[in-house]
Amino acid sequence: MGEAAGAVAIQPADHEPAERRGRRQKPGTHPAVWTTWFAAAALLGVAWGVACAPLGVSVVAVFLFAGPHNWCEARYFLSRLPGRLGPLAPFFAVGFGGTVLLAATFALLPLGARWGAWSESTWTTAIAGWNTALILWIAGLAEWRKRLPPYRDWPWVLPVALLLIAVNWLAPSYVSLALVYLHPILALVFLDRELGRRHSPWRTAYRRAVVLLPVALVGIALALRDAPALAGADVLTLQIQRHAGAEIVPWISPQVLVAWHAYLELLHYGVWVLAVPLFVVQAPPWNVATAPLARRSLPWRRALVAVVAAGALLVVSLWGAFLVDYPFTRDLYFTIALLHVLAEAPMLLRIL
Amino acid sequence: MLRRILGVSVCTLFAAMVVGVPLLSLADVPVEPRGNGRANRRPAPPASDGAVMAPVRVNHQAPGAAAEGAVARIVIPRAYLQELLASGAVSPALPIGSGSGNGSGPHYGTLVAGIALALAIASVPFVLRGRRATRQLVAASLLFVVVLGGWTWAYGDLIPGRPGGPPRRPAPPAGAQISLEIVEEGETVQLWVKPQGR
């Protein structure tokens, strides 16, 4: 009887949201408290490390994590795709179809410019046109998402999209640069939504730590405000500076831009390689048994295993290619990596 | 009822802005320096690749009998011109419009941007329509429009000829000519410009 009473008393607590359970713990022992301190220390510590050697951190971070983070992200997408798409099929078809089309077009732009000997004006027009297509595609998906359950009230989609298109045609290069800096931040939004969906006790700590992000960025800028220009005029240094936007915003020190970009990229890699597998997927990337698509049928499960194995092979190949020719591989990687940048749009809209 | 009236008012106001603002603005109104920080709001067009900066002595006097009928007279010492040609700073035949641009949007980008911006403004009433917080949003929008409109009225170069505003663009003199002279003496380029209003 005593055992039965105990079991009844324990059962509701197990079904309670973890956040509510945590409130009953002794002050100071709630996971949110020490996790906040740990996350804050990690955020500021990484910022300090990046400010000490922005170029080195950028090179090492891309070498180590560029491949694995794509692999983990693909595994996350597999875990979030429903077993049967049903009414979502057209949405994801347009989402992933647009991803491939836009990424392919973007990769072909430099080739077109080279073969067609485009003038600067033609190149700028092409970039503005591509940006416009991207904005319209995302706005179209957002309008579609509004009408899918759970329904969303987003009346601002059209005005904001049109405003962005206006800004884009006035300064296309700034919109392209904004994409470079916004993409790492999207990973933080993914993590926040997923922690919220799971009523995770880590969400409070995570949100408190993310508040420190602007502080860390300002700290990096202050630490490097008087830093001399990046040493060396080699291809890699110029490539990293250009990617960070040194040519587009010449009034900000290239050191600061490279450090900001490296810092945001590191956070982005940290989210996909550490936080998402630990707190969201809760399975190693090679284990696809829990993915809804894998539960559909045996052929689907085998297909998913094949996809994950191919991903692992690509990760190892990318490391090898980086060792052979880092600058060329980095350039090629960031062109192809646009696929995963764009694929985040339909996935994020779906979970919002 | 009140909500509907407010909604219609906002729609009308935005429509008036979309249609009216482009009608009021004149792109070719010359800007006169007025007040602090208002000088040179329209910078000179970008120089072409072959252009060089040369010191010029400006004389605000009539070009003189030697340049009868010309609005300006430029006198270039031959020695100075040969020096420029010899240094390679300028080529004998400067390409026109060969500049590579300043890295901003394409030359018709403002046209596309203007259309997109007008559509964005025109779509705002659809955002406000049917909202619970319509009254607050309408009040905020009206305040925004009034402040922005007032600021534009005060500082914009709209409506030429208004008191304190920019003058109407003077009609260009028929058959305007500039007198270019290569002279043997002298070391500095001289520009003779007929003062306005004389």
Side-chain angles (χ1 to χ4, degrees):
Chain A
M1 180 69 184
E3 270 182 32
V8 170
I10 289 165
Q11 201 174 7
D14 284 347
H15 291 281
E16 254 186 327
E19 213 160 17
R20 209 178 297 163
R21 256 184 291 152
R23 284 195 202 114
R24 294 193 193 141
Q25 293 178 355
K26 260 173 40 181
T29 60
H30 188 285
V33 175
W34 59 265
T35 313
T36 303
W37 285 108
F38 175 75
L43 265 174
L44 296 176
V46 170
W48 177 78
V50 170
C52 287
L55 201 63
V57 170
S58 175
V59 171
V60 173
V62 170
F63 172 76
L64 286 179
F65 300 118
H69 103 277
N70 273 295
W71 194 42
C72 294
E73 193 172 337
R75 176 65 185 84
Y76 163 76
F77 285 174
L78 290 177
S79 75
R80 294 296 287 129
L81 279 176
R84 293 188 187 278
L85 293 174
L88 291 174
F91 175 81
F92 280 115
V94 171
F96 293 129
T99 298
V100 174
L101 194 66
L102 283 166
T105 320
F106 187 80
L108 288 174
L109 281 181
L111 297 176
R114 200 170 299 163
W115 289 335
W118 289 354
S119 67
E120 191 181 322
S121 172
T122 312
W123 171 255
T124 315
T125 305
I127 291 292
W130 189 88
N131 287 342
T132 305
L134 173 69
I135 294 165
L136 289 176
W137 173 68
I138 294 174
L141 285 175
E143 283 289 334
W144 199 339
R145 169 66 188 83
K146 278 163 54 175
R147 292 161 178 79
L148 293 171
Y151 304 105
R152 298 294 178 214
D153 183 22
W154 296 337
W156 41 263
V157 170
L158 188 62
V160 170
L162 289 165
L163 190 67
L164 281 175
I165 289 172
V167 173
N168 166 57
W169 280 92
L170 290 174
S173 50
Y174 289 98
V175 173
S176 301
L177 186 64
L179 193 65
V180 170
Y181 280 87
L182 279 177
H183 164 62
I185 293 171
L186 275 189
L188 304 177
V189 181
F190 267 103
L191 184 58
D192 181 69
R193 294 299 301 179
E194 289 294 349
L195 292 178
R197 210 167 63 88
R198 285 165 172 71
H199 303 288
S200 170
W202 313 106
R203 196 189 197 189
T204 313
Y206 172 72
R207 286 192 158 179
R208 284 177 190 161
V210 165
V211 171
L212 284 175
L213 184 61
V215 178
L217 292 173
V218 171
I220 288 173
L222 290 174
L224 295 173
R225 68 185 187 281
D226 295 326
L230 285 165
D234 55 300
V235 174
L236 183 59
T237 309
L238 294 174
Q239 195 182 54
I240 292 173
Q241 287 188 61
R242 197 174 63 232
H243 190 205
E247 289 174 354
I248 299 168
V249 277
W251 56 88
I252 299 179
S253 157
Q255 287 251 36
V256 174
L257 289 172
V258 170
W260 278 348
H261 186 246
Y263 180 60
L264 291 174
E265 281 286 315
L266 261 181
L267 292 185
H268 167 78
Y269 294 151
V271 166
W272 287 118
V273 176
L274 289 175
V276 168
L278 276 175
F279 301 116
V280 179
V281 180
Q282 293 177 335
W286 55 86
N287 182 1
V288 294
T290 52
L293 276 172
R295 290 181 191 155
R296 191 170 164 176
S297 63
L298 189 62
W300 272 97
R301 188 170 179 172
R302 284 178 180 160
L304 256 58
V305 170
V307 167
V308 170
L313 196 65
L314 276 174
V315 171
V316 177
S317 308
L318 193 66
W319 277 331
F322 274 134
L323 287 173
V324 172
D325 188 345
Y326 186 89
F328 174 75
T329 308
R330 187 182 166 110
D331 216 12
L332 189 68
Y333 164 73
F334 276 113
T335 306
I336 297 172
L338 190 68
L339 266 173
H340 91 276
V341 176
L342 298 174
E344 285 175 6
M347 292 305 295
L348 183 62
L349 285 169
R350 180 66 203 130
I351 65 169
L352 282 178
Chain B
M1 185 63 184
L2 180 66
R3 188 179 295 176
R4 181 171 288 183
I5 291 170
L6 284 171
V8 170
S9 307
V10 171
C11 288
T12 313
L13 208 57
F14 276 115
M17 274 184 69
V18 170
V19 177
V21 171
L23 285 177
L24 287 173
S25 53
L26 289 175
D28 58 350
V29 176
V31 177
E32 293 289 313
R34 281 179 288 145
N36 290 333
R38 302 216 57 221
N40 300 324
R41 280 185 47 197
R42 288 200 187 158
S48 64
D49 285 343
V52 290
M53 299 296 287
V56 173
R57 204 171 74 202
V58 182
N59 302 303
H60 290 284
Q61 295 170 11
E68 189 65 42
V71 293
R73 177 186 172 201
I74 298 174
V75 178
I76 307 172
R78 187 179 298 279
Y80 185 76
L81 185 62
Q82 284 172 344
E83 194 182 316
L84 282 178
L85 289 170
S87 68
V90 289
S91 56
L94 288 175
I96 295 170
S98 61
S100 58
N102 54 5
S104 59
H107 60 279
Y108 52 84
T110 46
L111 180 70
V112 183
I115 293 170
L117 198 58
L119 288 172
I121 294 170
S123 64
V124 169
F126 294 101
V127 177
L128 301 179
R129 193 186 58 176
R131 311 286 300 171
R132 282 185 183 173
T134 303
R135 202 175 292 178
Q136 290 91 330
L137 280 169
V138 166
S141 303
L142 279 174
L143 187 69
F144 175 73
V145 167
V146 168
V147 171
L148 190 71
W151 187 86
T152 310
W153 184 269
Y155 291 98
D157 294 312
L158 310 177
I159 316 176
R162 66 185 166 84
R168 286 185 186 280
R169 183 175 183 158
Q177 288 181 325
I178 288 180
S179 166
L180 278 172
E181 287 177 45
I182 309 292
V183 294
E184 301 300 331
E185 293 87 24
E187 293 176 351
T188 315
V189 178
Q190 291 188 54
L191 171 66
W192 301 70
V193 191
K194 187 179 175 183
Q196 275 192 340
R198 291 189 196 172

